[in-house]
Amino acid sequence: IKALLDACFVAKSITERMWKLPKGLKPRHIHVIDAIKLLSKSQDCVRISDVSNQLQVTTPSITKLINELESFGVVHKYSLEEDKRVTLVRLTDLGESYENRYVNQYHSKWVVQLEGVTDEEIDTTIRIINKLANAMPAEEN
């Protein structure tokens, strides 16, 4: 278990080595941008709740991140004429450029570095990390 947890610390440090982001943006913002882009490929309208479900994060947390992204001009929030209660989001041109640079180009660099790692190894790693996350007990007082 210790070796597995140590590997998780290493994994966390990998996400902290991302390319320098524009002022104010954090890796979690890029995660939201990526989710919006992914969802927009399969559906016409992307709701904040869709992003929340995709990332398995609470809707209030995603709403805060999307509001921050909107203030940076990265996403646009809007409502449909027929139902103003539902807030939809889409990437702006700036958001699209960030998605291309910090997701597509970044991932392309990693693909080269991970040449030789099999899909099976990747799937096993993901499964174990998720299993660990789901099995980890809450902090005891």
Side-chain angles (χ1 to χ4, degrees):
I1 291 296
K2 182 184 179 338
L4 184 58
L5 291 174
D6 287 347
C8 289
F9 282 108
V10 171
K12 182 179 184 292
S13 76
I14 291 168
T15 63
E16 294 167 350
R17 293 184 215 163
M18 248 178 114
W19 293 341
K20 185 170 173 56
L21 297 172
K23 185 177 180 175
L25 256 69
K26 299 173 181 141
R28 65 180 174 244
H29 289 122
I30 301 303
H31 207 199
V32 171
I33 290 168
D34 185 38
I36 293 169
K37 180 67 175 190
L38 181 67
L39 289 163
S40 68
K41 289 179 180 178
S42 63
Q43 56 196 63
D44 292 334
C45 300
V46 178
R47 299 173 301 181
I48 290 177
S49 60
D50 296 332
V51 178
S52 174
N53 291 335
Q54 176 75 22
L55 297 176
Q56 298 178 340
V57 178
T58 65
T59 301
S61 295
I62 293 301
T63 299
K64 179 179 185 270
L65 291 170
I66 287 175
N67 286 341
E68 291 169 356
L69 288 169
E70 183 181 41
S71 74
F72 297 137
V74 176
V75 301
H76 173 69
K77 292 190 327 188
Y78 64 102
S79 298
L80 294 176
E81 287 297 320
E82 53 273 10
D83 190 353
K84 300 278 188 196
R85 296 170 298 167
V86 177
T87 303
L88 305 171
V89 291
R90 67 169 178 76
L91 295 178
T92 63
D93 289 343
L94 180 60
E96 292 280 350
S97 72
Y98 285 172
E99 195 274 337
N100 183 51
R101 169 126 174 91
Y102 298 105
V103 177
N104 295 336
Q105 290 178 23
Y106 187 72
H107 288 183
S108 293
K109 295 278 186 186
W110 274 99
V111 165
V112 172
Q113 298 300 317
L114 295 174
E115 188 175 353
V117 176
T118 67
D119 288 347
E120 184 179 324
E121 290 171 316
I122 291 170
D123 291 342
T124 299
T125 302
I126 293 166
R127 191 176 65 254
I128 291 169
I129 289 170
N130 287 330
K131 192 172 190 174
L132 179 63
N134 291 329
M136 188 58 62
E139 182 178 337
E140 294 180 14
N141 292 325

